[in-house]
Amino acid sequence: MKALVLLYYWPPSGGPGVQRGVKLCSGLLREGVEPIVVTVDPAAYRLPGEYAPDPTLAGDTPQSVRVTTTPSGYRRGPRDILTRLRVFRAAWHADPARWFERQAGWLAPATDALLREIRATRPDVLLTSSQPYTAHLAGRAAKLATGIPWVADFRDPWTLSWGRSWPSRRALDWELRREEEVLGDADVVIANTPGTRGEFLGQRPWLDPRKVRVVRNGYDPEDFRVAAAAKPAGEFRIVHAGSFRARPPGLHRRGLRALLDRGGPEPVPYDLSTHSPKPLFDAVARLAADQRKRVRVRLVGAVDVGWMNVAREAGL
């Protein structure tokens, strides 16, 4: 059996999404399935907004997996100009297909590569994994063109993601329609949590619940066969791995961008204050006042300088 797998994130890219795809391919090999990977040219990982390369993940890549790379289709020049002029969100409103996500230009190269691989290798199934959601748009195009069975894997929700906002109702509606097309045309939809599965089904009662499955994020025990890190006796250590999605205090948008933001739809109504490190900083500051307790906090990942200023103001 052959599985054609479309993944934007693949070593040498870092970040969390790449690991789910790499471990999936390793698991497929153990089950006797030959994965064929289509991904983006590694040069795309040096573009703005990407995760830093992680050379340690190269050792997780199965050597027997054939990998095909494509151009990214990234429109850096026009995007940079629109951003500098502070009219990017207006452009996004006018042409959502072109600007709805940074990797939207990958749709044509990814679709072409999938169609070539389907003709050349005749895989039994196609699996696409998001983010970016452009991967699912390419998968749907390949499904409609060839009839290949298609699995759409959502590592995060799409329009229900609490970390996203839109410049206008028009832009949001465009993505809602694309999401419905993906959910409707995929033969199997994978959510990474039971909650996401419930949201998919709750928002779209017409969706067949039998085809929406859950494959949770997890870990590979082999990756943790290492010695425990040494730490001073009596030290309590807190480690946060990832990003804080709440904006640091003092970050305000100005000009036309701010006007467009105020006129656009509100993000999905999650309480982003729960994604702020300020309560942690305040608690550690109180503990630091007690000389008998030694607490160390390690923030692993990109941390906005504004949050570091908040930590300093707390006396840390």
Side-chain angles (χ1 to χ4, degrees):
M1 185 176 182
K2 295 178 182 178
L4 181 59
V5 182
L6 180 66
L7 300 160
Y8 187 89
Y9 291 108
W10 187 259
S13 171
V18 65
Q19 299 179 47
R20 183 169 168 108
V22 168
K23 299 297 184 178
L24 167 69
C25 290
S26 298
L28 290 174
L29 284 170
R30 289 195 297 270
E31 296 297 323
V33 179
E34 177 189 348
I36 303 164
V37 172
V38 174
T39 187
V40 73
D41 189 302
Y45 305 141
R46 296 194 293 270
L47 293 169
E50 292 292 351
Y51 295 104
D54 185 348
T56 67
L57 294 176
D60 292 335
T61 308
Q63 297 300 311
S64 59
V65 174
R66 185 166 66 82
V67 178
T68 298
T69 61
T70 75
S72 69
Y74 183 69
R75 306 177 179 100
R76 182 170 186 176
R79 193 182 188 98
D80 287 352
I81 293 171
L82 292 169
T83 300
R84 285 197 298 270
L85 294 175
R86 299 191 174 188
V87 295
F88 172 73
R89 290 174 73 84
W92 179 4
H93 162 82
D95 190 359
R98 183 180 176 94
W99 303 113
F100 83 101
E101 66 181 352
R102 186 163 36 83
Q103 301 91 345
W106 192 46
L107 176 57
T111 301
D112 290 345
L114 290 180
L115 294 176
R116 285 196 302 271
E117 287 294 339
I118 291 170
R119 288 193 295 266
T121 62
R122 298 190 178 277
D124 299 279
V125 64
L126 167 64
L127 183 140
T128 59
S129 185
S130 61
Q131 298 176 10
Y133 303 105
T134 296
H136 294 323
L137 302 185
R140 179 174 181 265
K143 159 80 177 185
L144 296 179
T146 66
I148 187 171
W150 170 38
V151 178
D153 174 42
F154 286 83
R155 301 193 307 270
D156 286 300
W158 188 340
T159 58
L160 289 172
S161 175
W162 48 260
R164 305 191 69 209
S165 63
W166 290 265
S168 64
R169 184 74 210 186
R170 179 177 186 272
L172 172 59
D173 286 344
W174 184 90
E175 287 192 54
L176 282 168
R177 291 193 296 272
R178 303 293 83 74
E179 184 179 32
E180 289 193 347
E181 291 167 354
V182 168
L183 294 174
D185 291 337
D187 296 279
V188 175
V189 174
I190 297 177
N192 68 341
T193 69
T196 296
R197 178 182 184 271
E199 288 178 330
F200 280 152
L201 297 174
Q203 190 183 56
R204 299 174 176 88
W206 49 263
L207 192 58
D208 184 354
R210 294 173 296 180
K211 79 172 189 179
V212 185
R213 311 295 181 86
V214 176
V215 177
R216 298 172 185 266
N217 288 327
Y219 71 96
D220 186 344
E222 291 296 323
D223 290 341
F224 291 85
R225 297 184 185 277
V226 295
K231 65 183 181 69
E235 177 181 283
F236 187 80
R237 182 173 295 175
I238 301 170
V239 178
H240 179 276
S243 303
F244 299 113
R245 298 308 299 265
R247 291 180 181 175
L251 180 61
H252 302 290
R253 291 179 171 173
R254 300 176 180 175
L256 180 59
R257 183 182 299 181
L259 180 63
L260 288 170
D261 282 351
R262 286 197 297 271
E266 291 297 315
V268 176
Y270 291 102
D271 181 5
L272 286 181
S273 68
T274 62
H275 294 262
S276 161
K278 188 175 187 308
L280 172 63
F281 295 160
D282 291 342
V284 173
R286 288 196 296 270
L287 287 173
D290 185 342
Q291 298 300 317
R292 297 170 299 173
K293 296 184 173 71
R294 179 173 172 79
V295 181
R296 182 181 298 274
V297 177
R298 291 196 64 200
L299 306 179
V300 182
V303 182
D304 190 284
V305 65
W307 286 126
M308 300 312 297
N309 292 336
V310 170
R312 293 187 189 96
E313 291 169 1
L316 303 181

